[in-house]
C-alpha cells in the first residue's frame, strides 16, 4: 500500500505532462547532436532537463530524468566515437557537469516539495480556522430560505476577514455581513471579535442602532489605528426589512425579474470609525430575494471591467434553490475573471417565503 501511495501522483495529468516534456527534451537534444555529429562539448546540454524538471516534479522523478540524461550522454558519445570507450572517457568533465546538475536538481525538488507540503498544511489550518469562526447557517431561518457561501481567494495560507451570521431572535431574524480591512491573523481576530459581539447583542438589544454602537465600540477597542470593518445589519419583523449600512456594498433586492440596490440616502462610516447609520426600511413580498456580499465580488473584474452583478442577478440567483443560486454565481464569477480571485468573498442569499415557515 505504501508503495502504491508513493506513486499515485503519477495519475495527475499535469505531472504526466511535465515528466513527458522533460524526457522529450533529453531525446530532442540527443537527436540534434547525433544529427549534427559535432564534437563540441554538447553533453553538458543534458544538464538542462533535470534542472527544468526540478521546478514541478517530485525529487525521485527528477533523479530519473537526470539518470536518463546521463544514459543519453553516454549513448551519444559512444556512437559519436564509433563505440570507442576512450572517446567517451575524454568527456569526463562534461559527465561531471551533468551529474552535479542532477544532484542540484534533486535537492531543489526536495526543498520545493517540503515547502509545498508546509504550505498545504498551513492552508488546511487556515480553512479550519475560517470554518470555526463562520458557523454553518441552516437552510431555513424564520420566514427565509437562506444560503451562505464563502469563496476563498486564499494565496497560500492567507486568511481573509469576511464574516457573516444569521440569528433568529425575539426581535426578529437578524443578519450581519461584514468585511475586515486587511488580511491574515489580525483580520481573523477582529472578525472573531465582531461576530462574538454580534452574537451577544443581537439577543440583548431591541434597537439595531444600539447594536451598531456596541459593535463600533468593540471594533475600536480591538482594532489598530487604521483598521475598520464594513458591515450591513438586517432585521426582519412582520414582513418589514430594516437595513443599516456601515460603509458596505449595498444589498440587492431581486423581485419579479428585476434587481435593485437597497442603498441608504447617505453612507455611514464603517465600524470602528464612529458610524451614525440611518435605517432603510423595505416592505417584503413573498418570493423576494435579498442578496448580500462583500467587496471581493463588487471589485471582481476582467480586463478592467467589473463583473455585471446586477445585470445577471435574475438569471443566476433570482429563481430555483438559494444554495444552487450561489453555486451558479460563483461559477459564473470564476469564468468571468478567468483566473484567481484577488479577494475572498462572503455571500448570503435570502428567499422570503413566509407561508412555508
Amino acid at each position: 500500500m505504501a508503495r502504491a501511495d508513493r506513486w499515485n501522483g503519477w495519475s495527475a495529468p499535469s505531472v504526466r505532462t511535465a515528466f513527458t516534456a522533460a524526457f522529450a527534451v533529453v531525446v530532442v537534444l540527443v537527436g540534434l547532436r547525433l544529427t549534427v555529429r559535432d564534437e563540441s562539448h554538447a553533453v553538458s546540454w543534458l544538464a538542462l532537463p533535470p534542472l527544468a524538471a526540478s521546478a514541478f516534479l517530485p525529487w525521485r522523478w527528477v533523479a530519473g530524468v537526470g539518470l536518463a540524461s546521463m544514459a543519453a550522454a553516454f549513448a551519444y558519445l559512444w556512437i559519436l566515437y564509433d563505440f570507442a570507450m576512450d572517446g567517451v572517457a575524454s568527456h569526463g568533465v562534461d559527465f561531471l557537469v551533468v551529474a552535479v546538475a542532477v544532484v542540484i536538481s534533486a535537492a531543489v525538488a526536495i526543498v520545493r516539495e517540503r515547502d509545498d507540503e508546509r504550505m498545504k498544511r498551513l492552508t488546511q489550518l487556515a480553512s479550519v480556522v475560517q470554518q470555526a469562526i463562520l458557523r454553518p447557517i441552516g437552510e431555513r431561518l424564520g420566514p427565509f430560505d437562506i444560503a451562505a457561501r464563502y469563496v476563498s481567494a486564499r494565496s497560500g495560507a492567507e486568511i481573509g476577514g469576511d464574516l457573516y451570521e444569521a440569528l433568529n431572535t425575539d426581535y426578529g431574524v437578524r443578519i450581519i455581513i461584514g468585511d475586515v480591512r486587511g488580511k491574515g491573523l489580525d483580520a481573523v481576530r477582529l472578525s472573531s471579535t465582531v461576530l462574538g459581539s454580534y452574537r451577544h447583542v443581537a439577543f440583548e438589544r431591541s434597537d439595531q442602532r444600539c447594536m451598531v454602537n456596541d459593535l463600533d465600540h468593540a471594533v475600536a477597542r480591538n482594532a489598530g489605528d487604521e483598521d475598520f470593518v464594513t458591515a450591513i445589519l438586517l432585521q426582519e419583523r412582520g414582513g418589514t426589512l430594516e437595513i443599516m449600512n456601515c460603509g458596505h456594498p449595498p444589498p440587492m433586492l431581486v423581485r419579479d425579474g428585476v434587481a435593485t440596490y437597497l442603498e441608504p440616502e447617505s453612507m455611514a462610516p464603517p465600524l470602528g470609525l464612529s458610524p451614525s447609520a440611518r435605517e432603510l426600511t423595505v416592505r417584503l413580498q413573498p418570493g423576494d430575494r435579498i442578496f448580500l456580499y462583500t467587496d471581493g465580488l463588487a471589485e471582481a473584474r476582467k480586463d478592467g471591467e467589473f463583473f455585471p452583478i446586477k445585470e445577471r442577478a435574475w438569471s443566476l440567483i433570482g429563481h430555483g434553490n438559494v444554495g444552487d443560486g450561489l453555486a451558479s454565481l460563483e461559477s459564473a464569477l470564476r469564468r468571468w475573471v478567468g483566473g484567481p480571485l484577488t479577494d475572498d468573498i462572503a455571500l448570503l442569499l435570502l428567499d422570503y417565503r413566509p407561508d412555508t415557515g
Side-chain angles (χ1 to χ4, degrees), residues 203-225:
F203 291 96
E204 300 295 328
R205 297 289 194 179
S206 60
D207 192 331
Q208 281 200 120
R209 286 169 293 189
C210 295
M211 293 171 59
V212 168
N213 290 335
D214 291 339
L215 295 175
D216 177 62
H217 294 156
V219 171
R221 285 192 301 267
N222 293 276
D225 293 338

Side-chain angles (χ1 to χ4, degrees), residues 171-224:
Y171 309 106
V173 171
R174 286 180 160 176
I175 297 170
I176 187 174
I177 188 167
D179 189 0
V180 177
R181 179 186 180 275
K183 299 287 183 183
L185 291 178
D186 289 340
V188 172
R189 292 190 189 100
L190 193 52
S191 173
S192 179
T193 296
V194 172
L195 286 174
S197 298
Y198 181 79
R199 288 163 182 159
H200 173 71
V201 300
F203 291 96
E204 300 295 328
R205 297 289 194 179
S206 60
D207 192 331
Q208 281 200 120
R209 286 169 293 189
C210 295
M211 293 171 59
V212 168
N213 290 335
D214 291 339
L215 295 175
D216 177 62
H217 294 156
V219 171
R221 285 192 301 267
N222 293 276

Side-chain angles (χ1 to χ4, degrees), residues 9-24:
W10 178 254
S11 61
S14 59
V15 172
R16 293 199 305 269
T17 301
F19 188 88
T20 303
F23 188 78

Side-chain angles (χ1 to χ4, degrees), residues 115-162:
D115 288 344
D116 289 347
E117 184 62 29
R118 175 176 172 272
M119 190 61 65
K120 180 180 178 181
R121 290 196 299 268
L122 289 175
T123 301
Q124 291 172 342
L125 177 61
S127 297
V128 171
V129 171
Q130 199 85 61
Q131 292 169 11
I133 294 173
L134 300 177
R135 301 186 304 196
I137 294 178
E139 296 179 356
R140 183 74 183 176
L141 189 68
F144 293 109
D145 292 336
I146 185 170
R149 197 173 186 90
Y150 194 96
V151 182
S152 177
R154 188 170 297 125
S155 175
E158 190 174 51
I159 311 173
D162 296 37

Side-chain angles (χ1 to χ4, degrees), residues 10 12-30 45-46 48-57 61-62 64-66 68-69:
W10 178 254
S14 59
V15 172
R16 293 199 305 269
T17 301
F19 188 88
T20 303
F23 188 78
V25 171
V26 175
V27 175
V28 170
L29 287 176
V30 173
W45 288 14
L46 292 170
L48 295 177
L51 289 173
S54 67
F56 38 74
L57 289 178
W61 297 354
V62 172
V65 172
S69 294

